[in-house]
Amino acid sequence: MCGINGVMGLNENDAKAIVPLMNNAMQHRGPDDHGVFSDRNIALGHRRLSIIDLSEAGHQPMFSNDKSCVIVYNGEIYNYLSVKNQLSDYAFSTHTDTEVILAAYKKWGEGFIEKLDGMFAIALYDIKEEKLLLIRDRLGVKPLYYAQGKEREILFASEVRSILASGKIERKLNREALSDYLTFQTTIGEDTMVNGIKMLEAGCYMVVDNSGLRIKQYWDIKPRSTIEESYETVTKVTKDLFYSAVEKRLMSDVPLGAFLSGGIDSSAVVAAMSECGTDVNTYNINFNEKQFSEAKYAELIAKKYNTRHTQIDLQSEDFLAMFPTALAALDQPSWDGVNTYVVSKSVKEAGISVALSGVGGDEWFGGYPVFNLLSNPALNRLKVMPQIARKLIASALSKIKKDYARSKKYELIGSNMDIENSYYAIRKLFTNVQIQSILKHPTQHNHSYFPASTLYAEISIAEWQNYLKPMLLRDTDQMGMAHSLEIREPFLDYHLVEYVLALPDKYKKGAKTKSLLVDAMGNLLPDEIVNRPKMGFVLPWQQWLKNDLRDIVNEGLDQLCQHPAFNADTINSLRKNYFGDKNNIRWNMVLNLAVLGIWIKNNNIE
């Protein structure tokens, strides 16, 4: 795992001067080595975290054997050995997956991308053709940002702050993304919080040459068909695909472990790791407050699979002391990433450089409440009523009693109640009315929604587009790499995802939570794990924000009050209502705003 960056379109001297600045801004991503390549109007930079082939042979930028191509690359190609076996005519000089990428390009051209199975962000420059390829993995596990400077300059990097370090892009807030941030707690699609800096979309690659800039899509998430097989076959195939996803992610030349919360997803990962024949190191963060502790469930799985288990006990004071440092580590604003920061710090300090995570299980196997809510028959009964009548009812109810939960329900009732609008009404943080009040110039939401042949697949794709990819995966990357920890997610294996999305809903909607995954794992998951209440990484935020973190909250809100994009009166009203215990303002609404304000301040965003 590494950090990559570069610039194309400048003269060589300017490019050579800028890339080291971009490299230094990402030192945390690659403490083991660094390098720079420059030639005429391009320069590439690299920070290395050594995972495969720890020798100096893995140094990047790396050249092809004929010196016609050069690459900087972040990620892991899990099938690089099988691809390498198809390249017997290439004279390899290293044992790295990086060199396999170069050899594959030499043989197949741009078509080589479809042969790669892994998580990756790649910058490959064809020196002879003067052509730059920027490539991102199918599901968006690894980030890749880019910006167009003056004239035809192209800058790219694994992190936004690396591009900002170039001095070529103004530190201006992207006001077009603010509505999305207040809706989904993150930016959506190609948008970032910095004006002019974009995210290359998952499953896409960019070509930059003398003809200009072109973005091409080589993979999309939409299900190709609906699979009709017996449930017995489906559970077997699901298990086989999941085991394969876990096994390929055990590839490492450094110590490897697993996050273990004791929930279904992380327990399934640990079970599969053990069944694959590896000795497993597991790590659980435990808070002394019993209502927030999942330690007993993690211990149960650790004992069942005889893992080398480490319970990391944290006092609330420990977490709170790390909070400002975690906010400073944010490349893009997100309060949810603080959790991953704390876990990653502890795991790295325990001597682990690679950790497997259960991220993604809820999205594909229906683990979130939104799946049950949108498949509830009551929703269909409401749809029968004319929309104008529902709007009148919602308006009348809102005048009688209005709190956070009811406000969202009223907005749902008054919408046209198709699946797309119902999904966004349930998933949003602030309502449309609140957003219009908070922002001086609110914009339309930049959400993506893809219809599918089944309801669960449709919701899964929406979750990937609006939560998993732009928030969970980005947080996992930026907060893991803040501690030079590589995190791998077996549930983001595209073979597994394509199969599960193509299954009928009847196989995913059962009496148990995530019934298909549970049935596929069989007796490998104890009943105590399957039937336990869902917690996630729950923390006493309500208590903290009103006491220990009150000053930080006020600092963030004050920053927004001073910014011309926000209505200071509304921000102050929200603050007053929250600290005054009004039930129409929830803690995550206040934290979401405060984190944005702190991020703006920390990064000097105008």
Side-chain angles (χ1 to χ4, degrees):
M1 193 61 60
C2 309
I4 66 173
N5 59 82
V7 58
M8 186 174 181
L10 289 174
N11 66 67
E12 185 172 358
N13 288 334
D14 287 346
K16 284 174 67 175
I18 286 173
V19 166
L21 300 176
M22 299 173 72
N23 242 4
N24 291 339
M26 295 192 298
Q27 186 173 355
H28 52 279
R29 295 188 72 93
D32 298 330
D33 191 14
H34 63 93
V36 173
F37 159 82
S38 63
D39 178 50
R40 289 175 288 184
N41 71 337
I42 188 169
L44 307 176
H46 187 262
R47 300 289 324 193
R48 185 185 183 196
L49 176 63
S50 303
I51 302 295
I52 302 296
D53 191 345
L54 309 185
S55 71
E56 293 182 2
H59 175 81
Q60 295 183 42
M62 182 181 290
F63 291 88
S64 58
N65 57 10
D66 62 359
K67 307 298 182 184
S68 67
C69 298
V70 61
I71 186 175
V72 289
Y73 145 64
N74 168 33
E76 306 290 350
I77 307 300
Y78 300 122
N79 67 332
Y80 80 100
L81 290 177
S82 64
V83 175
K84 188 175 183 177
N85 288 335
Q86 303 173 52
L87 301 166
S88 57
D89 54 341
Y90 186 93
F92 286 92
S93 59
T94 76
H95 299 290
T96 65
D97 54 352
T98 309
E99 191 176 17
V100 171
I101 298 172
L102 285 165
Y105 172 74
K106 293 294 294 181
K107 182 169 183 175
W108 296 301
E110 293 176 20
F112 87 95
I113 301 169
E114 297 185 16
K115 295 183 177 290
L116 304 183
D117 181 2
M119 56 179 188
F120 48 83
I122 300 169
L124 191 154
Y125 183 62
D126 188 318
I127 298 172
K128 182 180 179 181
E129 298 290 331
E130 295 187 0
K131 178 174 71 174
L132 174 67
L133 298 180
L134 299 178
I135 310 161
R136 193 168 177 219
D137 64 63
R138 290 170 179 81
L139 284 155
V141 177
K142 292 291 98 187
L144 186 54
Y145 300 95
Y146 71 96
Q148 294 180 268
K150 295 178 181 179
E151 297 180 358
R152 298 179 65 178
E153 300 166 4
I154 299 294
L155 301 99
F156 68 88
S158 298
E159 295 187 0
V160 167
R161 59 189 148 197
S162 177
I163 295 178
L164 291 175
S166 72
K168 288 288 183 178
I169 301 297
E170 292 182 292
R171 295 173 177 264
K172 288 189 175 181
L173 188 68
N174 180 8
R175 298 193 186 191
E176 297 296 316
L178 287 175
S179 290
D180 282 340
Y181 180 80
L182 296 181
T183 303
F184 303 111
Q185 307 172 67
T186 188
T187 56
I188 303 298
E190 66 176 11
D191 279 337
T192 73
M193 270 299 172
V194 179
N195 195 42
I197 299 181
K198 297 181 179 181
M199 169 82 85
L200 181 64
E201 287 277 36
C204 292
Y205 71 99
M206 178 189 297
V207 181
V208 186
D209 56 20
N210 292 328
S211 300
L213 180 156
R214 303 177 300 284
I215 295 178
K216 304 179 181 180
Q217 186 174 30
Y218 68 91
W219 184 85
D220 66 70
I221 197 171
K222 289 176 284 189
R224 276 65 177 167
S225 60
T226 301
I227 295 173
E228 295 292 346
E229 296 175 334
S230 69
Y231 192 59
E232 181 181 8
T233 299
V234 166
T235 53
K236 181 182 184 307
V237 173
T238 299
K239 181 179 179 180
D240 290 345
L241 287 171
F242 179 61
Y243 270 44
S244 174
V246 170
E247 186 174 24
K248 68 180 72 169
R249 284 163 178 78
L250 300 178
M251 173 185 74
S252 176
D253 292 332
V254 296
L256 181 147
F259 296 156
L260 178 58
S261 68
I264 289 174
D265 301 330
S266 66
S267 297
V269 170
V270 170
M273 290 173 73
S274 181
E275 292 290 299
C276 288
T278 187
D279 292 330
V280 185
N281 301 293
T282 53
Y283 299 87
N284 170 257
I285 299 293
N286 176 54
F287 285 90
N288 287 343
E289 294 91 340
K290 288 186 178 180
Q291 67 269 36
F292 304 115
S293 175
E294 299 178 283
K296 65 178 182 180
Y297 301 110
E299 288 176 1
L300 190 155
I301 291 295
K303 288 179 181 178
K304 179 176 177 64
Y305 293 104
N306 195 30
T307 73
R308 290 189 288 268
H309 186 59
T310 301
Q311 178 176 299
I312 301 166
D313 294 311
L314 288 181
Q315 304 287 340
S316 291
E317 294 79 9
D318 300 325
F319 187 94
L320 294 169
M322 283 186 268
F323 189 72
T325 311
L327 292 184
L330 286 172
D331 186 51
Q332 286 285 275
S334 168
W335 66 264
D336 192 60
V338 176
N339 301 343
T340 307
Y341 180 91
V342 173
V343 177
S344 299
K345 181 177 187 294
S346 300
V347 171
K348 184 66 177 185
E349 288 175 348
I352 297 297
S353 294
V354 179
L356 270 65
S357 164
V359 167
D362 285 317
E363 283 76 8
W364 314 130
F365 292 96
Y368 292 130
V370 67
F371 286 91
N372 289 330
L373 287 170
L374 290 179
S375 59
N376 192 319
L379 198 65
N380 290 322
R381 289 196 291 270
L382 270 174
K383 290 179 187 177
V384 177
M385 186 182 298
Q387 184 177 0
I388 189 170
R390 286 189 277 105
K391 281 186 175 182
L392 290 172
I393 292 172
S395 176
L397 289 172
S398 67
K399 294 174 182 176
I400 298 172
K401 191 168 185 180
K402 189 173 184 177
D403 56 27
Y404 176 75
R406 287 185 175 89
S407 294
K408 291 179 71 175
K409 288 179 182 177
Y410 301 153
E411 196 164 285
L412 171 60
I413 292 171
S415 72
N416 63 23
M417 294 194 72
D418 59 10
I419 293 300
E420 179 177 353
N421 282 282
S422 299
Y423 169 81
Y424 289 116
I426 291 170
R427 267 318 222 157
K428 64 178 55 176
L429 178 61
F430 288 97
T431 66
N432 292 342
V433 172
Q434 288 171 323
I435 292 171
Q436 289 168 6
S437 177
I438 292 170
L439 300 178
K440 288 184 178 178
H441 302 287
T443 58
Q444 293 285 2
H445 301 316
N446 182 34
H447 57 249
S448 300
Y449 197 89
F450 294 109
S453 57
T454 66
L455 175 61
Y456 266 46
E458 203 164 327
I459 300 170
S460 289
I461 294 171
E463 287 291 289
W464 173 71
Q465 283 280 14
N466 299 288
Y467 181 57
L468 176 59
K469 180 177 54 161
M471 188 169 179
L472 290 186
L473 292 180
R474 184 155 61 185
D475 287 350
T476 297
D477 175 83
Q478 66 181 352
M479 292 312 206
M481 293 309 297
H483 302 290
S484 303
L485 177 72
E486 174 177 313
I487 301 175
R488 300 174 179 175
E489 302 93 350
F491 285 109
L492 271 293
D493 187 276
Y494 82 93
H495 301 286
L496 175 66
V497 171
E498 287 182 344
Y499 182 78
V500 173
L501 287 179
L503 294 173
D505 287 354
K506 63 182 179 181
Y507 292 154
K508 302 176 194 176
K509 187 177 181 180
K512 302 183 288 287
T513 300
K514 289 179 275 197
S515 57
L516 173 58
L517 177 60
V518 169
D519 291 344
M521 296 302 293
N523 61 8
L524 295 173
L525 295 180
D527 289 340
E528 297 93 326
I529 299 299
V530 172
N531 299 318
R532 59 162 287 193
K534 182 177 176 61
M535 289 178 64
F537 195 70
V538 181
L539 298 171
W541 286 112
Q542 176 81 344
Q543 173 187 337
W544 287 347
L545 294 183
K546 293 192 174 185
N547 297 285
D548 304 82
L549 296 178
R550 188 173 183 133
D551 289 345
I552 290 179
V553 169
N554 281 322
E555 180 185 358
L557 296 181
D558 287 344
Q559 186 70 35
L560 296 188
C561 287
Q562 298 167 20
H563 199 286
F566 295 88
N567 283 313
D569 289 345
T570 302
I571 299 295
N572 284 323
S573 177
L574 288 169
R575 176 181 2 216
K576 181 180 178 181
N577 288 343
Y578 176 70
F579 288 122
D581 294 322
K582 293 291 182 66
N583 61 3
N584 63 327
I585 306 298
R586 300 180 72 228
W587 64 263
N588 55 344
M589 300 166 79
V590 174
L591 184 55
N592 192 53
L593 288 169
V595 167
L596 176 60
I598 295 293
W599 177 84
I600 288 172
K601 181 179 180 180
N602 286 344
N603 292 276
N604 300 313
I605 305 298
E606 296 178 8

